[in-house]
Amino acid sequence: MPDSKKTFQLDDREVPFREGQTIFDAAMAAGIFIPHLCHNPDFEPHSSCRLCTVIVNGRPFASCTQPAVAGQMVQSNTPELRDMRRMLTQMLFVEGNHNCPGCIKSGHCRLQATAYELGIPDNHYQQFFPLREVDASHPGIILDRDRCILCGLCVRISRSVDKKNVFAMTGRGIDTTIVVDSPSGLLVDSTVSVDDQAVLNCPVGALMLKRMAFDVPFGDRTYDQALYSEDSVARFQATEANRHG
Amino acid sequence: MSPFLETAANPRSLRRVVIEPVTRVEGHGKVTLLLDDEGRVRQARLHIVEFRGFEKFIQGRPYWEVPVLVQRLCGICPVSHHLAAGKAVDMLVGARRLTPTAEKLRRLLHAGQIVQSHALHFFHLASPDLLFGFDSERDRRNIVGVIGAEPELARKGVLLRKYGQEVIRHITGKRVHGKAVVPGGMNKELTQSARDEMRRGIGEIIGWSREAVAIGRRLFESSEQSAQFAVFPSNYMGLVAPNGESDLYDGVLRAKDAAGKIIFDQVDYTKYNRFLREEVKPWTYMKFPFIVSLGEEEGWYRVGPLARLNVADRLGTPLAEAERQAFRAAAGGGMQHATLAYHWARLIEMLHAAERIERLLDDPDILGADLVTSGERAFEGVGVVEAPRGTLFHHYKVDENDLVVRANLIVSTTHNNQAMNESVRSVAARYLDGKELTEGLLNHIEVAIRAYDPCLSCATHALGRMPLQVELVDAGGSVISRMVKGSDGRVTDGEG
């Protein structure tokens, strides 16, 4: 349980925290949603998407990795930060080839759900239309690089949870892409399997099991049932309760 | 079959009239009329110049995405694309026969689509022309005008469409671009409450559909134009059940010639390319399909409501079948060739679909829970349905990694391509005097195109103000006259 004596101020609220807890985790435990894409409560944070950036005592930090300190003045829900998050999300859309209407992940996708909650009606920026390869060589898994947002979750999970190191990032800047550790560079020749946590926890439609085609009808999809913010807060709170009672 | 079309001895000496409708949704279409020295229309070309590219950009996508991807082809008949692609994908997963519940849910969905699309076409798009006359005041010739003049008719038209959309929503989750069809079946059971809600309304829908058929028949039979407006013999093709009864969801292909003689019958639609080929012409992105045995010149045909009523032996529901018999009787028991009869046929089909909905809702299978089946994997699939506008083909090949490597779609507007050219030529030959471009002529050409309900005109007529650009160009390429109808409905000379 958080030490009720230790708090920091998040926008207009006093938020209690536990020693060692991040600003992000303390905020979510208190029911305050901070938008994020690369963070998943079941795995270590990475601070790569920067969507969870907050202003701490006047300076920007990724809240998912920034430890909470008593007395901090933290700003999250400000017009400037909302604009920044919207801009980051729009850039992710134009840097890839995201076609929500035809995507199996639609309704379950955190990028799409984030865009809805941030009030993004269109991509705003000019589309890059990058040429990226789809790897459908594996009988049960498809890697669609068009939809990858480079959050690095699959890389981290494959390394630390699945203990396989199937995925890695290569290239720099806009040319960064996911590569597969196999002699041919294809999934079929790698050690990946359909029950790998790296495959099952992709927040977007980049890594998916094959043939899971729109089998969940409208109304029953993850973000039909609850807003991303509600669902996410509940997930983080449940994880916190499991770990720390 | 069309001696004046594409057969001018020396097309270069012909003068050219270009009618250029710029649509708001589907893109860009225009009509070119080529005149001879005497001002007679010798050629008509309906250009479809927008390029959709769906066949190309679904290449490389996994096959299970396809039924959802392709329905974005259209905002009015997405269900038809969803179903045709779904049937093709069923073949890929070896689902030769769906579960009874899945097949009946798809048939119900399709019938809902027929009701909403036919109601939209007749009441919202075509009825202003038919009720008020082709030359009537343009500000009145739209659905708002119909609401003012015939409020009860307009109300029923809107509610008929709404009912069809509600059927779609109950099954796919959304009224437009829902998701229901998955490889080998459907993704959701129909709830008892949804079934009951649809069942409560269907009696009224059938009643209104009967009234609509009566109106369609009266408008056709009372109009002097019906017997003269774009009436020409043609071949016809459609999907029928193996016993010859109309079947809009599944069956075999049948084609008849202008005299009603069978050209082919009992054709397995997966082997369609043995019987149909497509010709490419340099001036349009739309291909020209033809019946192989008749050749490129004579093998063109019509599809859609008129064709379906001409090729089927009967409709499988009593009220619609009685109307079909009256329809055929009006043509002396033979083939009906009048282009304006498309509207009457469309309303008979709406009644037929409404009766089908009632029958399906009373079938206990419709509430079943067994939704998906599969079998031996295949690498090629063909799906065909009768979409509201006509026969719709989806044909895919996939590789061993499940990705689409080849796709061929033949949509109803493409089947009707040559027929629309012939209709425009026929109408222009009658109403153009060679030198004077009149708004009345543009209206008549619009009416001819709209009878086929092609995608390029349906969106533009929603407010009765289809933007048109007309140019009269001599054989040397000089513009000698210009006429522009703007999106505000005003007609000008196009200058300033």
Side-chain angles (χ1 to χ4, degrees):
Chain A
M1 290 292 288
D3 181 343
S4 59
K5 291 176 188 167
K6 289 187 175 177
T7 62
F8 64 91
Q9 187 169 345
L10 177 57
D11 295 329
D12 55 356
R13 283 182 59 179
E14 286 293 323
V15 176
F17 68 96
R18 201 175 13 81
E19 191 62 40
Q21 200 171 23
T22 62
I23 292 173
F24 182 96
D25 286 352
M28 297 290 266
I32 302 169
F33 177 67
I34 299 177
H36 58 283
L37 285 169
C38 72
H39 190 19
N40 180 320
D42 297 329
F43 309 103
E44 288 298 308
H46 188 242
S47 70
S48 61
C49 77
R50 315 306 288 189
L51 223 63
C52 71
T53 296
V54 293
I55 304 296
V56 182
N57 296 337
R59 296 179 61 197
F61 289 95
S63 61
C64 70
T65 49
Q66 187 65 20
V69 174
Q72 279 172 324
M73 301 290 286
V74 181
Q75 294 173 295
S76 175
N77 191 18
T78 67
E80 293 77 15
L81 286 171
R82 286 201 299 273
D83 282 350
M84 183 210 72
R85 289 169 183 146
R86 195 176 296 122
M87 188 169 68
L88 281 174
T89 308
Q90 285 170 324
M91 287 197 288
L92 286 171
F93 272 100
V94 301
E95 286 169 9
N97 295 307
H98 298 277
N99 176 17
C100 295
C103 181
I104 304 285
K105 197 82 172 190
S106 183
H108 310 282
C109 172
R110 293 188 197 168
L111 179 66
Q112 181 193 43
T114 298
Y116 276 130
E117 287 214 43
L118 293 175
I120 297 175
D122 61 25
N123 291 350
H124 183 71
Y125 300 109
Q126 193 168 354
Q127 201 76 37
F128 282 32
F129 295 121
L131 288 173
R132 295 180 180 170
E133 287 182 16
V134 174
D135 182 350
S137 61
H138 194 280
I141 301 166
I142 185 166
L143 169 58
D144 189 342
R145 294 182 174 89
D146 279 335
R147 295 166 181 174
C148 179
I149 57 170
L150 301 172
C151 70
L153 255 179
C154 58
V155 178
R156 288 179 275 144
I157 298 172
S158 185
R159 181 179 59 228
S160 60
V161 180
D162 300 329
K163 310 291 185 193
K164 289 184 176 178
N165 268 324
V166 171
F167 302 102
M169 301 265 196
T170 189
R172 297 177 70 83
I174 192 64
D175 296 321
T176 308
T177 186
I178 290 284
V179 286
V180 173
D181 180 23
S182 74
S184 62
L186 295 174
L187 281 175
V188 69
D189 296 322
S190 74
T191 56
V192 76
S193 62
V194 293
D195 51 3
D196 278 5
Q197 290 300 306
V199 174
L200 301 175
N201 282 285
C202 178
V204 292
L207 265 171
M208 285 187 295
L209 298 180
K210 283 187 167 181
R211 289 173 280 279
M212 302 290 282
F214 305 106
D215 46 359
V216 182
F218 280 116
D220 295 344
R221 302 173 308 170
T222 308
Y223 301 120
D224 293 334
Q225 300 284 316
L227 286 173
Y228 177 44
S229 52
E230 297 165 354
D231 177 76
S232 186
V233 165
R235 275 163 52 90
F236 274 92
Q237 286 179 335
T239 305
E240 176 74 12
N242 281 342
R243 285 182 188 160
H244 302 286
Chain B
M1 195 161 282
S2 57
F4 298 106
L5 191 69
E6 298 287 307
T7 56
N10 184 8
R12 288 188 177 280
S13 70
L14 302 177
R15 282 184 298 156
R16 179 173 298 211
V17 180
V18 181
I19 300 172
E20 195 163 346
V22 183
T23 71
R24 286 182 285 117
V25 176
E26 284 80 8
H28 192 125
K30 65 177 181 180
V31 172
T32 304
L33 302 173
L34 299 175
L35 312 178
D36 63 15
D37 290 337
E38 283 77 47
R40 289 175 307 199
V41 178
R42 296 293 300 272
Q43 284 192 25
R45 291 173 172 178
L46 173 60
H47 305 254
I48 309 297
V49 296
E50 77 268 28
F51 180 67
R52 301 301 302 276
F54 268 76
E55 289 164 332
K56 182 65 185 169
F57 70 65
I58 57 176
Q59 285 180 16
R61 300 309 310 167
Y63 69 79
W64 50 86
E65 280 185 5
V66 169
V68 167
L69 275 175
V70 294
Q71 63 172 344
R72 296 284 165 164
L73 272 158
C74 183
I76 294 177
C77 62
V79 164
S80 308
H81 291 290
H82 195 42
L83 287 168
K87 287 177 72 177
V89 169
D90 290 343
M91 286 180 69
L92 299 177
V93 299
R96 289 184 168 277
R97 191 171 186 82
L98 298 186
T99 67
T101 297
E103 167 145 351
K104 286 170 186 174
L105 279 172
R106 287 194 187 179
R107 286 180 176 276
L108 180 61
L109 174 62
H110 194 38
Q113 164 67 17
I114 295 284
V115 169
Q116 79 86 11
S117 179
H118 280 358
L120 172 78
H121 180 83
F122 180 75
F123 292 101
H124 297 67
L125 306 180
S127 73
D129 297 330
L130 303 173
L131 289 169
F132 305 141
F134 306 168
D135 292 319
S136 61
E137 190 185 348
R138 64 172 174 268
D139 287 342
R140 189 174 175 229
R141 204 157 42 88
N142 53 51
I143 185 63
V144 179
V146 177
I147 291 169
E150 304 259 4
E152 192 55 19
L153 177 70
R155 186 181 76 86
K156 289 174 181 172
V158 169
L159 291 177
L160 274 162
R161 174 157 194 252
K162 185 182 176 192
Y163 183 87
Q165 288 181 306
E166 284 298 295
V167 172
I168 293 168
R169 184 182 65 79
H170 281 305
I171 297 172
T172 71
K174 284 167 70 180
R175 282 183 290 183
V176 181
H177 296 141
K179 293 165 186 168
V181 175
V182 294
M186 298 289 277
N187 71 359
K188 192 177 75 162
E189 299 166 30
L190 186 65
T191 63
Q192 176 107 31
S193 63
R195 196 276 300 267
D196 293 347
E197 186 183 321
M198 289 186 276
R199 188 67 186 77
R200 274 195 295 277
I202 191 62
E204 199 166 42
I205 292 302
I206 291 173
W208 291 346
S209 297
R210 293 183 78 179
E211 292 174 24
V213 175
I215 292 166
R217 180 178 183 175
R218 177 171 56 79
L219 287 170
F220 182 81
E221 292 186 335
S222 64
S223 169
E224 292 174 9
Q225 302 216 55
S226 298
Q228 301 161 2
F229 186 93
V231 179
F232 52 88
S234 71
N235 305 308
Y236 297 92
M237 188 188 76
L239 205 58
V240 293
N243 66 4
E245 195 170 272
S246 167
D247 192 332
L248 303 177
Y249 174 72
D250 198 24
V252 292
L253 292 171
R254 173 187 278 182
K256 286 184 178 177
D257 69 12
K261 190 169 153 250
I262 293 284
I263 302 170
F264 57 71
D265 196 5
Q266 302 296 319
V267 168
D268 173 359
Y269 63 66
T270 66
K271 298 180 174 59
Y272 73 96
N273 49 15
R274 295 185 195 170
F275 297 85
L276 302 174
R277 294 238 175 89
E278 293 177 281
E279 186 189 5
V280 176
K281 297 196 178 181
W283 46 268
T284 177
Y285 279 122
M286 195 151 71
K287 295 179 196 170
F288 287 80
F290 61 93
I291 294 167
V292 173
S293 63
L294 300 180
E296 293 173 18
E297 291 298 316
E298 301 294 319
W300 62 276
Y301 52 92
R302 292 197 256 190
V303 299
L306 176 67
R308 291 190 288 247
L309 263 56
N310 273 334
V311 300
D313 295 340
R314 60 193 171 279
L315 298 175
T317 56
L319 299 175
E321 170 57 14
E323 297 293 348
R324 186 198 69 84
Q325 289 177 16
F327 178 86
R328 294 293 294 271
M335 306 290 273
Q336 175 59 267
H337 296 303
T339 298
L340 287 177
Y342 261 100
H343 297 300
W344 182 7
R346 189 168 285 126
L347 296 168
I348 294 171
E349 284 195 338
M350 184 168 71
L351 173 60
H352 176 54
E355 289 183 280
R356 285 273 183 217
I357 288 172
E358 182 180 46
R359 201 174 280 183
L360 285 161
L361 290 174
D362 286 340
D363 189 322
D365 283 341
I366 206 74
L367 294 175
D370 189 9
L371 295 174
V372 180
T373 185
S374 63
E376 191 182 338
R377 177 86 163 76
F379 295 92
E380 187 167 358
V382 179
V384 177
V385 296
E386 282 293 338
R389 289 150 192 80
T391 322
L392 173 64
F393 290 74
H394 280 233
H395 183 180
Y396 305 104
K397 289 183 182 175
V398 299
D399 64 16
E400 66 279 5
N401 291 332
D402 306 312
L403 302 183
V404 174
V405 292
R406 192 154 175 241
N408 188 33
L409 314 181
I410 310 178
V411 304
S412 35
T413 300
T414 305
H415 292 293
N416 280 331
N417 193 0
Q418 187 78 322
M420 288 190 291
N421 287 329
E422 175 57 15
S423 295
V424 171
R425 190 207 61 77
S426 166
V427 168
R430 186 173 180 85
Y431 297 101
L432 178 73
D433 80 351
K435 290 179 183 171
E436 289 294 321
L437 296 168
T438 63
E439 194 183 349
L441 172 69
L442 305 196
N443 293 343
H444 280 71
I445 289 175
E446 282 181 43
V447 169
I449 296 172
R450 194 167 298 119
Y452 295 90
D453 197 9
C455 290
L456 63 129
S457 74
C458 58
T460 58
H461 192 52
L463 292 172
R465 289 168 177 173
M466 183 190 227
L468 295 172
Q469 183 177 325
V470 185
E471 286 185 349
L472 193 61
V473 182
D474 67 16
S478 304
V479 177
I480 56 173
S481 176
R482 172 179 286 146
M483 192 174 186
V484 175
K485 186 161 78 166
S487 58
D488 60 356
R490 288 191 310 128
V491 177
T492 67
D493 61 6
E495 303 295 332

